């Protein structure tokens, strides 16, 4: 159940990001509203983490009741760090930005921080739902154990 829910939210989120990014480029919103990349990086961080957590569930990396919070936090941190660094490299390679630009480092660090904020939101959402799923599973397992006695 949680896997399907995460996948659905992830797909809706990426479609939203793609549509918003397309409109922002078409109508120059990124240049008109300098703060606009902040929510985009937060939502993107949410999507990256949620997708990584879904993949981790799918391959059964995070399937046990024990330690799922630590594993989830690790998956979130690594996924955001890797994708954020690759994104900054992508911007440099395709000359979207330059290291010589004024404010490059502060902008890059802010982008990464905003990605982590989105990742934390995804982590919170995931662990809240995983805990509910674990409680339901525990209740059924306990019920089955008691019934078999």
């Amino acid at each position: 159940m949680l896997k399907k829910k995460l996948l659905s939210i992830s797909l809706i989120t990426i479609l939203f990001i793609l549509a918003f990014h397309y409109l922002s480029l078409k109508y120059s919103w990124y240049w008109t509203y300098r703060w606009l990349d902040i929510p985009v990086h937060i939502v993107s961080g949410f999507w990256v983490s949620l997708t990584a957590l879904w993949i981790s569930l799918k391959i059964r990396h995070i399937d046990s009741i024990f330690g799922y919070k630590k594993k989830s936090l690790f998956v979130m941190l690594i996924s955001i760090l890797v994708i954020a660094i690759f994104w900054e490299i992508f911007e440099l390679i395709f000359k979207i930005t330059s290291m010589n630009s004024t404010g490059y480092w502060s902008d890059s660090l802010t982008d990464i921080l905003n990605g982590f904020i989105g990742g934390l939101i995804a982590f919170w959402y995931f662990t809240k739902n995983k805990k509910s799923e674990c409680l339901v599973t525990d209740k059924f397992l306990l019920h089955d154990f008691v019934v078999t006695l």
Side-chain angles (χ1 to χ4, degrees):
M1 173 82 169
L2 180 58
K3 290 178 196 173
K4 288 181 182 178
K5 191 176 185 181
L6 292 177
L7 181 60
S8 298
I9 293 170
S10 181
L11 291 173
I12 291 167
T13 303
I14 193 61
L15 290 174
F16 171 78
I17 291 168
L18 291 171
F20 189 80
H21 183 66
Y22 171 78
L23 292 171
S24 296
L25 290 175
K26 183 176 181 175
Y27 296 110
S28 301
W29 291 345
Y30 287 128
W31 292 270
T32 306
Y33 307 104
R34 302 292 293 164
W35 53 267
L36 196 60
D37 72 327
I38 293 171
V40 172
H41 282 282
I42 291 172
V43 174
S44 298
F46 175 81
W47 174 75
V48 165
S49 291
L50 205 62
T51 302
L53 289 165
W54 174 77
I55 291 168
S56 294
L57 271 179
K58 194 78 173 147
I59 62 172
R60 299 187 180 270
H61 175 69
I62 305 174
D63 62 348
S64 74
I65 295 166
F66 304 105
Y68 74 91
K69 283 187 179 181
K70 288 179 186 174
K71 289 178 182 178
S72 304
L73 184 62
F74 180 75
V75 167
M76 183 276 295
L77 290 171
I78 295 300
S79 65
I80 291 293
L81 190 60
V82 167
I83 298 301
I85 289 171
F86 277 123
W87 182 257
E88 295 303 320
I89 292 169
F90 170 83
E91 287 183 339
L92 288 171
I93 290 171
F94 290 97
K95 301 194 184 329
I96 297 168
T97 190
S98 168
M99 287 182 153
N100 298 328
S101 300
T102 305
Y104 168 78
W105 291 104
S106 63
D107 181 62
S108 293
L109 291 174
T110 303
D111 291 348
I112 293 169
L113 177 65
N114 288 325
F116 274 110
I117 291 169
L120 286 172
I121 295 167
F123 168 76
W124 170 81
Y125 178 79
F126 176 81
T127 55
K128 180 180 139 240
N129 284 284
K130 181 71 174 162
K131 181 180 179 183
S132 298
E133 185 179 78
C134 289
L135 290 174
V136 169
T137 304
D138 285 350
K139 187 176 179 180
F140 286 123
L141 288 174
L142 182 60
H143 178 266
D144 292 344
F145 178 72
V146 172
V147 170
T148 57
L149 289 177

